[in-house]
Amino acid sequence: MAKMTPLLKRNEQFASTYTPGPLGPPAAQVVIVTCLDHRVDPAIVLGLQLSDAVVIRNTGGRVTPAVINDIAYLAFLAGELFNGQVAAEGLFEVAVVHHTQCGTGFLADAGFRHRAAEAIARPEAALEAWAVADPHATVEADVELLLASPLLSPKVSVSGHVYDIATGRVTTVLDDRHPQLAGNN
Ligand SMILES: [Zn+2]
Protein backbone atom coordinates (compact mmCIF):
# COMPACT_ATOMS: atom_id res chain seq x y z
CA MET A 1 0.00 0.00 0.00
CA ALA A 2 2.75 2.41 0.98
CA LYS A 3 4.31 2.36 -2.49
CA MET A 4 0.89 3.02 -4.02
CA THR A 5 0.45 6.21 -1.96
CA PRO A 6 2.17 8.60 -4.41
CA LEU A 7 0.32 7.01 -7.33
CA LEU A 8 -3.01 7.47 -5.57
CA LYS A 9 -2.11 11.16 -5.20
CA ARG A 10 -1.61 11.28 -8.97
CA ASN A 11 -5.01 9.63 -9.37
CA GLU A 12 -6.60 12.35 -7.27
CA GLN A 13 -5.25 14.89 -9.77
CA PHE A 14 -6.54 12.78 -12.67
CA ALA A 15 -10.01 12.38 -11.16
CA SER A 16 -10.28 16.12 -10.43
CA THR A 17 -10.50 16.95 -14.15
CA TYR A 18 -11.91 13.65 -15.44
CA THR A 19 -15.01 13.48 -17.63
CA PRO A 20 -16.43 9.99 -18.20
CA GLY A 21 -17.09 9.00 -21.81
CA PRO A 22 -19.79 6.68 -23.16
CA LEU A 23 -19.11 2.98 -23.73
CA GLY A 24 -18.00 2.64 -27.35
CA PRO A 25 -15.47 0.89 -29.56
CA PRO A 26 -11.83 1.96 -28.99
CA ALA A 27 -11.33 5.24 -30.88
CA ALA A 28 -8.18 4.07 -32.69
CA GLN A 29 -9.84 0.69 -33.52
CA VAL A 30 -6.70 -1.06 -32.35
CA VAL A 31 -6.02 -3.89 -29.90
CA ILE A 32 -2.37 -3.92 -28.83
CA VAL A 33 -0.69 -7.11 -27.61
CA THR A 34 2.64 -6.31 -25.98
CA CYS A 35 5.07 -7.10 -23.18
CA LEU A 36 4.38 -6.16 -19.57
CA ASP A 37 7.84 -4.52 -19.41
CA HIS A 38 7.52 -1.09 -17.78
CA ARG A 39 9.80 0.40 -20.47
CA VAL A 40 7.33 -0.37 -23.25
CA ASP A 41 4.11 1.21 -21.97
CA PRO A 42 2.08 1.65 -25.18
CA ALA A 43 0.18 4.64 -23.76
CA ILE A 44 3.48 6.55 -23.73
CA VAL A 45 5.25 4.95 -26.70
CA LEU A 46 2.24 5.23 -29.05
CA GLY A 47 0.69 8.34 -27.53
CA LEU A 48 -2.56 6.65 -26.57
CA GLN A 49 -5.29 8.61 -24.84
CA LEU A 50 -7.96 7.11 -22.63
CA SER A 51 -10.42 5.01 -24.74
CA ASP A 52 -8.08 4.94 -27.78
CA ALA A 53 -7.10 1.26 -27.74
CA VAL A 54 -7.47 -2.03 -25.90
CA VAL A 55 -4.12 -3.16 -24.50
CA ILE A 56 -3.35 -6.79 -23.60
CA ARG A 57 0.00 -7.29 -21.86
CA ASN A 58 1.80 -10.42 -20.76
CA THR A 59 5.36 -11.70 -20.46
CA GLY A 60 6.97 -11.04 -23.84
CA GLY A 61 3.70 -9.91 -25.46
CA ARG A 62 3.22 -13.46 -26.72
CA VAL A 63 0.08 -14.72 -28.48
CA THR A 64 -1.00 -17.35 -25.95
CA PRO A 65 -4.31 -19.29 -25.85
CA ALA A 66 -5.48 -16.79 -23.19
CA VAL A 67 -4.70 -13.85 -25.52
CA ILE A 68 -6.54 -15.54 -28.40
CA ASN A 69 -9.55 -16.04 -26.12
CA ASP A 70 -9.47 -12.37 -25.09
CA ILE A 71 -9.38 -11.23 -28.74
CA ALA A 72 -12.19 -13.62 -29.72
CA TYR A 73 -14.32 -12.25 -26.89
CA LEU A 74 -13.54 -8.62 -27.81
CA ALA A 75 -14.60 -9.31 -31.42
CA PHE A 76 -17.83 -10.91 -30.22
CA LEU A 77 -18.51 -8.03 -27.82
CA ALA A 78 -17.78 -5.36 -30.47
CA GLY A 79 -20.08 -7.14 -32.93
CA GLU A 80 -22.88 -7.37 -30.35
CA LEU A 81 -22.64 -3.85 -28.93
CA PHE A 82 -21.25 -1.64 -31.67
CA ASN A 83 -22.24 -3.24 -34.95
CA GLY A 84 -23.54 0.05 -36.37
CA GLN A 85 -20.49 2.03 -35.19
CA VAL A 86 -17.64 -0.06 -36.59
CA ALA A 87 -15.90 0.70 -39.87
CA ALA A 88 -16.83 -1.20 -43.01
CA GLU A 89 -13.32 -2.66 -43.27
CA GLY A 90 -13.62 -4.48 -39.98
CA LEU A 91 -13.91 -4.43 -36.22
CA PHE A 92 -10.32 -3.67 -35.23
CA GLU A 93 -6.65 -4.31 -35.97
CA VAL A 94 -4.65 -6.42 -33.54
CA ALA A 95 -1.11 -5.03 -33.38
CA VAL A 96 1.39 -7.47 -31.87
CA VAL A 97 4.38 -5.48 -30.57
CA HIS A 98 7.53 -7.28 -29.37
CA HIS A 99 10.60 -5.39 -28.21
CA THR A 100 14.39 -5.49 -28.05
CA GLN A 101 16.15 -6.25 -24.73
CA CYS A 102 13.12 -8.27 -23.56
CA GLY A 103 13.56 -9.94 -20.17
CA THR A 104 12.26 -13.18 -21.69
CA GLY A 105 15.40 -13.23 -23.87
CA PHE A 106 17.32 -14.74 -20.94
CA LEU A 107 15.13 -17.83 -21.35
CA ALA A 108 17.02 -18.65 -24.57
CA ASP A 109 19.91 -19.66 -22.27
CA ALA A 110 19.55 -23.30 -21.16
CA GLY A 111 20.91 -22.79 -17.62
CA PHE A 112 18.75 -19.73 -16.93
CA ARG A 113 15.71 -21.49 -18.41
CA HIS A 114 16.23 -24.57 -16.22
CA ARG A 115 16.34 -22.46 -13.04
CA ALA A 116 13.33 -20.38 -14.14
CA ALA A 117 11.30 -23.51 -14.91
CA GLU A 118 11.98 -24.85 -11.41
CA ALA A 119 11.20 -21.53 -9.76
CA ILE A 120 7.80 -21.05 -11.40
CA ALA A 121 6.88 -24.73 -11.89
CA ARG A 122 6.49 -24.59 -15.67
CA PRO A 123 7.93 -27.04 -18.21
CA GLU A 124 11.23 -25.90 -19.76
CA ALA A 125 9.80 -26.26 -23.26
CA ALA A 126 7.03 -23.77 -22.41
CA LEU A 127 9.59 -21.24 -21.24
CA GLU A 128 11.68 -21.79 -24.37
CA ALA A 129 8.58 -20.91 -26.45
CA TRP A 130 8.17 -17.76 -24.32
CA ALA A 131 11.61 -16.37 -25.10
CA VAL A 132 11.79 -13.21 -27.20
CA ALA A 133 15.49 -13.30 -28.13
CA ASP A 134 14.84 -12.03 -31.68
CA PRO A 135 11.70 -9.85 -31.60
CA HIS A 136 11.48 -9.73 -35.42
CA ALA A 137 11.25 -13.54 -35.56
CA THR A 138 8.87 -13.97 -32.61
CA VAL A 139 6.50 -11.21 -33.72
CA GLU A 140 6.24 -12.82 -37.15
CA ALA A 141 5.57 -16.25 -35.60
CA ASP A 142 2.90 -14.82 -33.28
CA VAL A 143 1.11 -12.90 -36.06
CA GLU A 144 0.93 -16.13 -38.09
CA LEU A 145 -0.24 -18.06 -35.04
CA LEU A 146 -3.07 -15.61 -34.43
CA LEU A 147 -4.08 -15.46 -38.11
CA ALA A 148 -4.23 -19.28 -38.19
CA SER A 149 -6.54 -19.51 -35.16
CA PRO A 150 -10.07 -20.69 -35.97
CA LEU A 151 -11.24 -18.42 -33.12
CA LEU A 152 -10.12 -15.24 -34.93
CA SER A 153 -13.00 -13.27 -36.49
CA PRO A 154 -12.54 -12.59 -40.24
CA LYS A 155 -13.48 -8.97 -39.38
CA VAL A 156 -10.25 -8.63 -37.38
CA SER A 157 -6.88 -7.89 -39.00
CA VAL A 158 -3.45 -8.57 -37.48
CA SER A 159 -0.15 -6.69 -37.83
CA GLY A 160 3.34 -7.14 -36.31
CA HIS A 161 5.78 -4.53 -34.99
CA VAL A 162 9.04 -4.26 -33.06
CA TYR A 163 9.77 -1.57 -30.48
CA ASP A 164 13.45 -0.69 -30.17
CA ILE A 165 14.30 0.20 -26.56
CA ALA A 166 17.48 1.96 -27.70
CA THR A 167 15.80 4.41 -30.10
CA GLY A 168 12.17 4.56 -28.92
CA ARG A 169 11.09 3.73 -32.47
CA VAL A 170 8.38 1.22 -33.44
CA THR A 171 8.98 -0.49 -36.81
CA THR A 172 6.32 -2.45 -38.68
CA VAL A 173 7.43 -5.99 -39.55
CA LEU A 174 4.17 -7.24 -41.02
CA ASP A 175 1.39 -5.01 -42.39
CA ASP A 176 -2.12 -5.83 -41.24
CA ARG A 177 -3.83 -8.82 -42.81
CA HIS A 178 -7.18 -10.52 -42.35
CA PRO A 179 -7.30 -14.29 -41.73
CA GLN A 180 -7.87 -16.46 -44.78
CA LEU A 181 -11.43 -17.76 -44.73
CA ALA A 182 -11.66 -21.54 -44.88
CA GLY A 183 -12.20 -22.55 -48.50
CA ASN A 184 -10.75 -19.29 -49.87
CA ASN A 185 -7.44 -19.51 -51.72
ZN1 LIG B 1 9.63 -7.80 -22.68
Side-chain angles (χ1 to χ4, degrees), residues 64-158:
T64 62
V67 167
I68 294 174
N69 287 341
D70 285 344
I71 292 165
Y73 177 67
L74 286 169
F76 168 77
L77 190 66
E80 289 287 308
L81 297 184
F82 314 124
N83 222 359
Q85 298 175 51
V86 296
E89 68 266 25
L91 292 172
F92 49 77
E93 174 179 337
V94 179
V96 183
V97 184
H98 289 178
H99 71 99
T100 60
Q101 301 176 26
C102 188
T104 64
F106 296 115
L107 294 170
D109 176 82
F112 187 92
R113 187 167 66 239
H114 181 73
R115 284 185 286 126
E118 283 195 335
I120 68 170
R122 291 281 310 267
E124 276 189 54
L127 293 192
E128 194 168 11
W130 238 0
V132 177
D134 175 356
H136 289 83
T138 52
V139 89
E140 207 169 314
D142 279 9
V143 165
E144 298 303 338
L145 183 67
L146 186 52
L147 283 168
S149 170
L151 294 176
L152 188 72
S153 163
K155 290 182 178 172
V156 170
S157 63
V158 186

Side-chain angles (χ1 to χ4, degrees), residues 35-37 39-40 59-61 99-104:
C35 186
L36 45 69
D37 192 313
R39 298 168 299 169
V40 303
T59 309
H99 71 99
T100 60
Q101 301 176 26
C102 188
T104 64

